[in-house]
Amino acid sequence: MRKLRCWVGGLLVSLAALAASAAEVVIGQVAPLSGVLASTGEQMVLGGKVYFDAVNAQGGVHGAKIRLQVEDDGYKVDDTVRLTRAMLDHPEVVALFGFAGTANIAQLLADKVLEQGGAALVAPYTGGEVLRTPFNPWIFHVRAGYADEAEHMVQQLATLGITRIAVMYQDDGFGKAGLAGVEAALERRQLKLVAVAGYERNTDNVDSAVQTIRAMDAQAVIMIAVNKPAAAFTKRYREQGGGARLFNISVVDPAEIVKLAGLKNAHGLAISQVVPYPYRPQLPVVREYQQLLKKYAPEAEINYTSFETFLGAKVLVEALRRAGPQPTRARVLRALESLQGFDLGGVTLNYGPNNRVGSRFVEVTVIGGNGRLMK
């Protein structure tokens, strides 16, 4: 009898542990919460967390609550690789979500970290072509690529008759991907860049770039840059008399640009966007985002970055639903492939066995006289 009681007690403990594990689904996110991209990283985490919190408040997915495990890589490639490996060593992590950095994620592919872990990465905050071509099965993009953004910006400039275009870019995989996109878009129009100037990653040392581009009298400058160096270039270029139209690729926060560069300098800066305008609740998914942001993060402001990762979280939660109870990495990946013509609420994404780019949407916004974005 005593042995039976011990056996029953052990069984109950095991069942309780199993129930506890079944009641939780773990998602891993490595984000730049320190360094030059810290403000962007905070918004990346916020957008996903708001939606996951809302899902958990409704009982989770198949009765399991979603737990978002977040680690800070400081936008450093080696730390991204190290932290991702550590996450994937834990089998309870069924998917990865919302990483940042073309070079960072490209290194995960080069080192076969995702392949060895067998986990999908959903909604990375990058449009680098190296992550899309050649095809790899592990990354599910919510956003258009930098090549799509570059084509849209160059087309807009060409329509205005502007041909003397320069690029200021971050000298790494991210910046080179954007630079290649601009060069390809110009080549299709039999044009070439009048100036190209780089700056070192994880710095805002752009003085040399300002001088190089000013000397060539460009009519427009397309920046492939993150917040701090983009703001530094905008401020110094304008203060030194630079009069070209300024554009930046989608990865910057306009509020941060205005704060760092000053409204006088930032006014008129055009920023390409890869998700719909989140400030007016015209689409159902924008209304949902605004309502949940107000409920779960009442101090936070509406932001393109948090809205983008909010969309990514909706994609991942739908995949978890389709993967069924007790999802595995393989089941989640197959479920993501099944999201063909998936409507998030006025935003439709398409994935499939041979397609990982859910959207090609691009539009350009401009920082207005009040410091806010205008369409």
Side-chain angles (χ1 to χ4, degrees), residues 8 15 33 48 68 98 101 104 114 118 123 167 169 181 192 208 225 250 270 285 288 300 312 329 334 351 361:
V8 171
L15 289 173
L33 298 177
L68 182 63
N104 306 61
L114 302 180
V167 164
Y169 75 103
K192 289 188 177 181
S208 176
S250 61
V285 71
E288 181 186 22
R329 294 174 185 177
R334 288 195 298 271
Y351 300 109
F361 173 87

Side-chain angles (χ1 to χ4, degrees), residues 49 59 71 125 248 325 333 370:
K49 185 178 183 302
E71 301 290 348
Y125 193 68
N248 205 98
L333 191 142
N370 62 358

Side-chain angles (χ1 to χ4, degrees), residues 152-166:
H152 194 92
M153 287 187 283
V154 170
Q155 175 59 39
Q156 183 167 319
L157 290 170
T159 300
L160 296 171
I162 292 174
T163 58
R164 294 183 58 77
I165 300 171

Side-chain angles (χ1 to χ4, degrees), residues 20-36:
S21 64
E24 185 177 75
V25 174
V26 184
I27 304 300
Q29 181 174 19
V30 176
L33 298 177
S34 59
V36 296

Side-chain angles (χ1 to χ4, degrees), residues 28-42 45 69-84 87 99-100 104 202:
Q29 181 174 19
V30 176
L33 298 177
S34 59
V36 296
L37 216 59
S39 62
T40 296
E42 290 170 3
V45 172
Q69 179 184 335
V70 181
E71 301 290 348
D72 173 24
D73 65 3
Y75 197 43
K76 297 174 183 176
V77 172
D78 290 346
D79 286 352
T80 306
V81 173
R82 175 180 58 80
L83 292 167
T84 305
M87 277 185 172
F99 285 35
N104 306 61
N202 278 324

